[in-house]
Amino acid sequence: MSAHSPAVPEPAEPARRRASETVSGYLAAIAIFASLVGLAWHPLRLILPATLISLIASGMAGQQRRLQFASVVICALCFFLGLTIAVITDHPLY
């Protein structure tokens, strides 16, 4: 008999995330926050840089890209809604 029983599997090590994946998650969160704030305050000043940050975060993402994809979609929607709100309420765009 052997010391290791084949019926008991060894615990798998958790997958380690690269530093770029962690940074891209933070950048995506910052882009979402900035684009949501841009709905209420100068849409072109905040939403366009947030969209750029979101695209950079998407390029840095590794295996899991859900947050980065969500940030790109949210930035695009906020851009459309922010400009629409600014035009309707005669709020300055920049």
Side-chain angles (χ1 to χ4, degrees):
M1 266 215 232
S2 69
H4 273 35
S5 172
V8 179
E10 300 236 357
E13 289 186 30
R16 292 190 58 195
R17 294 184 69 176
R18 296 184 316 196
S20 64
E21 292 175 356
T22 304
V23 171
S24 72
Y26 283 119
L27 287 176
I30 290 169
I32 291 171
F33 177 75
S35 63
L36 291 174
V37 170
L39 287 175
W41 184 76
H42 300 296
L44 289 180
R45 280 189 191 172
L46 286 176
I47 298 175
L48 286 180
T51 305
L52 180 66
I53 290 171
S54 177
L55 291 173
I56 291 170
S58 293
M60 291 173 59
Q63 295 287 333
Q64 299 184 3
R65 298 180 180 206
R66 279 187 244 162
L67 179 63
Q68 290 79 6
F69 176 72
S71 70
V72 171
V73 171
I74 290 171
C75 287
L77 285 174
C78 285
F79 181 73
F80 176 74
L81 290 174
L83 292 182
T84 303
I85 292 169
V87 168
I88 289 173
T89 61
D90 292 329
H91 195 268
L93 295 175
Y94 50 91

